[in-house]
Amino acid sequence: MAEDCEGNYDSSSHSQENYHEELHIEPIYEAFLCPLTKQIMRDPVTLENGQTFEREAIEKWFKECRDSGRKPVCPLTLKDLNSTDLNPSIALRNTIEEWTQRNETAQLDKACRSLTLGSSESDILQALNFIAYICQKSRSSKHVVRNAELIPMISGMLKSSSRRVRLKALETLRIVAEGDNDNKEATAAGDTIRTIVKFLSHEHSQEREEAVSLLYELSKSEPLCEKIGGVNGAILILVGMASSKSENLSTVDRAENTLENLEKCENNVRQMAENGRLQPLLTLLLEGSPETQLSMAAYLGELVLSNDVKVFVAQTAGSALVDVMRSGSKQAREAALKALNQISSYETSAKILIQAGILPPLVKDLFTVGVNQLPMRLKEVSATVLANVVSSGADFESIPLGHDDQTLVSEDIVHNLLHLISNTGPAIESKLLQVLVGLTSSSTTVLNIVAAIKSSGATISLIQFVEAPQRDLRMASIKLLRNISPYMGQELADALHGTAGHLSSLIKVIAENNGISEEQAAAIGILADLPERDSGLTRRLLDEGAFNITISKIIRIRQGETRGIRFVTPFLEGLARVLSRLTYVLEDRPDIVALAREHNLAALFTDLLQMNGLDGVQTVSAMALENLSQQSKHLTRIPAVPEQGFCCSIFPCLGKPPVLTGLCRVHHGICSMKESFCLLEGKAVEKLVACLDHTNEKVVEAALAALCTLLEDGVDIGQGVMVLCDADGIKPILEILRENRTEILRQRAVWAVERILRTDDIAYEISGDQNVGTALVEAFRHGDYRTRQIAERALKHVDKLPNFSGIFPKMGG
């Protein structure tokens, strides 16, 4: 047997002559051989001189004679022939056929004995070569091979330990099966197909190529398509081969052709779809019979699709599925809805469905009542699809739902949605709430939804869902309330005042210790947006233990003990805002003051000032420190002055007034950050000054406002200025004045600079800074009434205006 340089058996190295020499049993008689071809003749013919040749060979000889202009001669005698007539040699042909049949019968018998795993490799290969040869030579031989029950024996060779035998067995099975459906059936008997499929994963490319070629041949028989697809993993492997970049092109083409044949079976089409080959399913969905279309749509709804596939399906079949929703039977609409549910869950594919016109039939399905209404389970699917579509972020204000130009954010439509939410089961309620969550997540549509909620009086009914036992329903409700809370803070506060359960439920969500979830971030955001000066609500939160929970959560986050990085920023900001509520109601509330002292809130908010990158947290913390610092002048402890003796009282010259040490420079009492919330402790002033360079104006405004509490009436303003000077805070304040970034900052900066300029040394130094003078003049010219008045006083301090100027009546600073 011939082998190539890699040791692979090369059947093509055998010439037909050698084949015959190996395969015959009886000797070959010389009369059987054509003198021209040296091959056994199949159609012997005799010339006028009695010489016999193969018809095809002698006809070719005569043609060459004519083409060269010579007279026809006998190839053997080279003598001229008078005639080129060919006389069939029937007797010789019959003798050859009988001889061939005897040899083939004997060789088949030998092949039967050789095709066992116990035979030698050479005997098995010789037998397989013979079977392949006779099947290629004659179609009738394929019947003989089948009737001799050789096909199962050839299949058995697929389990040989010899790779050459396995390769030859695959090739022989393909030749045996070509063009013969009965042989295909015989080849596919038992577990042969499963064995062939295993070859598709073999490491040797020749085995993979022969196996896929055999499968392709078998797949031409429609009854076998289902059997091939029924082998576990067959279609998955073929799909992988058809899209492979590493297989040779012949193998890829055979795999592709095999899959195309397998598409005749719907079960195979489903498997292909499951493994990412969607086009056959979509073709049946668009072009199949009504029953097939229904079946494919239903199966599409069961698939888990990747995002790219969702886009592909939406582009290919989205319009057809939407049409089914408009006019199909209930069964067809159900299948279409389930398919659309899968496709719509990705933003890009959802937008394609919107363009295909999905919104009008969806909304119609949800709102229709009576005999034509969908069952509630399908309304739930409709609501899910609508929620998916809404989360795509499309411009729903400009997408009409019908001929009346109403849109998804029109008041009547939102009212209908709110009505459905209040009158259906938890599953559909959850999905419809998610629709509203999507619509309120956009700054362009949230105000429409807020207005409709207010006009429908649905606030209380929406809040009640925060107590729902179903997590999805509760979470959707909390996310919706979070989205509308910046616009409905007072309405939500009033509703939460009404019953204890709603507020308790929100606090319970915030208190969960399973990491930081989206639900927790939304819940704390709702409470953060409630009016901070609502003392009644603050009292309720205090009674519910909300502030203790908030403080504990903040400390755990600062110590790195809390999981959930994704939502930590909104959660921490919400916690800080809720905790800051306490600083708005300190006045005349000794219990709140005691709580702030117990938990050292001033130190906590000072620490939060250092949360760089969390602008909201820094802003809230600075505002809270402003509120706390405003109370310091009332909370500082003024020590009692010791009384002088009797003699000193009669003779003052005999004694001096006692000197008190350790008093606060600004508040002239005994201060601390914990007890009186004094900013001079804990480096709060330095940390606030550091915030004055922040790029976010809100942070700067809040930090400046907190620092200004050291300059307000009721404290030692001169010492307050010196504290700022020691903390390098004067220059940033002057810079804020010069930059004039916002009107609020200008007002605060003008106020602070006027107080700072009351210190003569600083006023003298600053008077030479032309930029400061120009900024004050601009404020004097363009500010509001109060700012202009303060700017006037500041200009007097630096001699930019004469002191006798009386442009404005005297007013308090």
Side-chain angles (χ1 to χ4, degrees), residues 515-516 552-565 568 572 607 611:
I516 301 173
S552 171
K553 292 285 184 183
I554 291 174
I555 292 173
R556 289 188 64 188
I557 291 173
R558 290 295 285 147
Q559 293 175 346
E561 297 177 7
T562 304
R563 294 177 290 106
I565 296 175
V568 68
L572 182 58
D607 179 57
M611 299 292 289

Side-chain angles (χ1 to χ4, degrees), residues 662-800:
L663 299 184
C664 175
R665 296 163 60 187
V666 175
H667 301 115
H668 294 173
I670 298 174
C671 277
S672 71
M673 177 166 276
K674 182 175 182 179
E675 296 297 324
S676 64
F677 318 137
C678 182
L679 296 183
L680 274 63
E681 305 293 326
K683 296 191 174 181
V685 174
E686 290 84 348
K687 291 171 184 176
L688 286 166
V689 167
C691 290
L692 296 180
D693 288 329
H694 206 287
T695 56
N696 187 325
E697 288 87 356
K698 295 295 182 183
V699 177
V700 179
E701 288 172 8
L704 182 56
L707 291 171
C708 285
T709 59
L710 301 177
L711 306 175
E712 62 186 9
D713 296 338
V715 303
D716 190 325
I717 296 175
Q719 286 299 314
V721 171
M722 297 314 299
V723 167
L724 290 176
C725 191
D726 294 342
D728 295 326
I730 303 297
K731 185 177 179 181
I733 293 174
L734 295 175
E735 188 64 29
I736 292 170
L737 175 65
R738 286 193 290 265
E739 288 179 350
N740 188 23
R741 290 160 69 181
T742 69
E743 186 59 30
I744 292 176
L745 275 176
R746 177 161 73 175
Q747 291 172 1
R748 289 194 182 280
V750 167
W751 185 92
V753 168
E754 190 276 326
R755 299 271 165 149
I756 291 168
L757 293 177
R758 292 181 187 182
T759 302
D760 293 340
D761 292 345
I762 294 177
Y764 177 76
E765 184 176 345
I766 291 176
S767 64
D769 188 333
Q770 188 174 354
N771 290 327
V772 173
T774 301
L776 288 171
V777 170
E778 285 297 306
F780 177 69
R781 293 179 58 209
H782 302 295
D784 61 13
Y785 182 84
R786 185 169 182 273
T787 301
R788 291 168 67 190
Q789 183 188 25
I790 297 170
E792 177 197 9
R793 292 205 297 266
L795 287 167
K796 289 178 181 177
H797 294 319
V798 291
D799 297 328
K800 298 293 183 181

Side-chain angles (χ1 to χ4, degrees), residues 118 209 317 412 431 447 620 798 808:
E209 186 172 357
D412 288 347
K431 300 303 179 184
L447 293 179
V620 171
V798 291
F808 297 104

Side-chain angles (χ1 to χ4, degrees), residues 568-631:
V568 68
T569 298
F571 188 60
L572 182 58
E573 182 177 337
L575 290 171
R577 289 177 65 193
V578 170
L579 186 60
S580 72
R581 293 182 66 90
L582 293 174
T583 68
Y584 289 89
V585 292
L586 290 168
E587 201 163 341
D588 301 324
R589 289 295 301 270
D591 55 333
I592 303 295
V593 171
L595 182 67
R597 285 171 169 169
E598 178 187 351
H599 294 287
N600 199 0
L601 289 193
L604 182 59
F605 283 116
T606 300
D607 179 57
L608 290 177
L609 276 179
Q610 301 174 88
M611 299 292 289
N612 295 325
L614 303 182
D615 297 1
V617 173
Q618 290 179 300
T619 301
V620 171
S621 300
M623 293 170 70
L625 287 173
E626 176 192 4
N627 296 336
L628 289 166
S629 180
Q630 285 176 337
Q631 300 302 312

Side-chain angles (χ1 to χ4, degrees), residues 632-652:
S632 296
K633 58 190 175 188
H634 306 301
L635 298 176
T636 188
R637 186 163 58 86
I638 307 298
V641 179
E643 293 184 5
Q644 294 180 329
F646 176 74
C647 293
C648 291
S649 62
I650 298 177
F651 305 104

